[in-house]
Amino acid sequence: MELSTEYRYRLLRDTLHIVERDSVPYEVVRTETREVGRPLSWFDKLARAVFWIVTGAVVIGVASWMAKKGGAKHP
């Protein structure tokens, strides 16, 4: 179904006029969000410790692998 540009324009214009006429202004209330802090549990501390230990082990392992592969000769 092909509609002419003029028809679509008039339909849009009339719709906007109806919305402007029928709109009721109201006060917008914004909800304030904030993050509530909590102390770390023993599991949180354990998880962080394990993460940093594993990360350190991976970094040391990659560094030693790169040193072997690079052909660094020890006296």
Side-chain angles (χ1 to χ4, degrees), residues 3 6 14 16 19 33-35 37 39-40 49 55 57 60 70-71 73:
L3 299 174
E6 292 83 13
D14 294 343
L16 290 175
V19 168
T33 58
R34 60 188 170 103
E35 191 169 326
L40 296 177
T55 301
I60 292 171
K73 303 213 187 290

Side-chain angles (χ1 to χ4, degrees), residues 61-74:
V62 168
S64 67
W65 178 77
M66 293 290 286
K68 286 181 186 176
K69 187 155 177 110
K73 303 213 187 290
H74 298 290

